Coordinates of all heavy atoms in Angstrom, one line a residue:
K55 N -2.9 -13.9 0.0 CA -3.0 -14.2 1.3 C -3.6 -15.7 1.6 O -3.3 -16.3 2.6 CB -3.7 -13.2 2.1 CG -2.9 -12.1 2.7 CD -3.6 -11.3 3.7 CE -4.0 -12.0 4.9 NZ -3.2 -11.4 6.1
R57 N -6.9 -15.7 1.9 CA -7.8 -15.1 2.8 C -9.3 -15.4 2.5 O -9.7 -15.4 1.3 CB -7.7 -13.6 3.0 CG -8.4 -12.9 4.1 CD -8.2 -11.4 4.0 NE -8.9 -10.6 4.9 CZ -8.3 -10.2 6.0 NH1 -7.1 -10.6 6.4 NH2 -9.1 -9.3 6.9
P140 N -4.6 -5.8 4.6 CA -4.6 -6.6 5.7 C -3.2 -6.7 6.2 O -2.2 -6.2 5.5 CB -5.1 -8.0 5.2 CG -4.7 -8.0 3.7 CD -4.7 -6.5 3.3
S141 N -2.8 -7.5 7.2 CA -1.5 -7.8 7.6 C -0.8 -8.7 6.6 O -1.5 -9.5 5.9 CB -1.6 -8.6 8.9 OG -2.4 -9.7 9.0
A142 N 0.4 -8.4 6.2 CA 1.1 -9.0 5.0 C 1.7 -10.4 5.3 O 2.9 -10.6 5.3 CB 2.2 -8.0 4.5
N143 N 0.8 -11.3 5.9 CA 1.3 -12.7 6.0 C 0.3 -13.5 5.5 O -0.9 -13.1 5.1 CB 1.2 -12.9 7.6 CG -0.2 -12.6 8.2 OD1 -0.6 -11.5 8.3 ND2 -1.0 -13.7 8.6
S149 N 1.5 -12.5 12.1 CA 1.7 -11.2 11.4 C 3.1 -10.9 11.3 O 4.0 -11.2 12.2 CB 0.8 -10.0 12.1 OG -0.5 -10.3 11.9
E177 N -1.6 -6.0 16.0 CA -2.5 -5.2 15.1 C -3.3 -4.1 15.8 O -3.5 -4.3 17.2 CB -3.4 -6.3 14.3 CG -2.7 -7.2 13.5 CD -2.2 -8.5 14.5 OE1 -2.3 -8.4 15.6 OE2 -1.9 -9.5 13.9
R192 N -11.6 -6.1 18.3 CA -10.1 -6.6 18.5 C -9.3 -5.8 19.4 O -9.1 -4.6 18.9 CB -9.5 -6.9 17.1 CG -8.0 -7.5 17.1 CD -7.5 -7.6 15.8 NE -7.1 -6.4 15.1 CZ -6.6 -6.2 13.9 NH1 -6.4 -7.4 13.1 NH2 -6.2 -5.1 13.4
H231 N -5.4 -18.1 14.0 CA -4.8 -17.0 13.7 C -3.5 -16.9 14.3 O -3.3 -17.5 15.4 CB -5.6 -15.8 14.2 CG -6.2 -15.0 13.1 ND1 -7.1 -14.0 13.2 CD2 -6.0 -14.9 11.7 CE1 -7.6 -13.4 12.3 NE2 -6.8 -14.1 11.2
Y232 N -2.4 -16.2 13.8 CA -1.3 -15.8 14.4 C -0.5 -17.0 14.8 O 0.4 -17.1 15.8 CB -1.5 -15.0 15.7 CG -2.7 -13.9 15.6 CD1 -3.8 -14.1 16.2 CD2 -2.5 -12.9 14.6 CE1 -4.8 -13.1 16.0 CE2 -3.4 -11.9 14.4 CZ -4.7 -12.1 15.3 OH -5.6 -11.1 15.1
Ligands
MG2 MG1 -4.2 -10.4 10.0

Side-chain angles (χ1 to χ4, degrees):
K55 270 190 67 109
R57 183 181 178 99
S141 50
N143 54 290
S149 293
E177 304 83 348
R192 181 178 70 182
H231 252 167
Y232 319 112

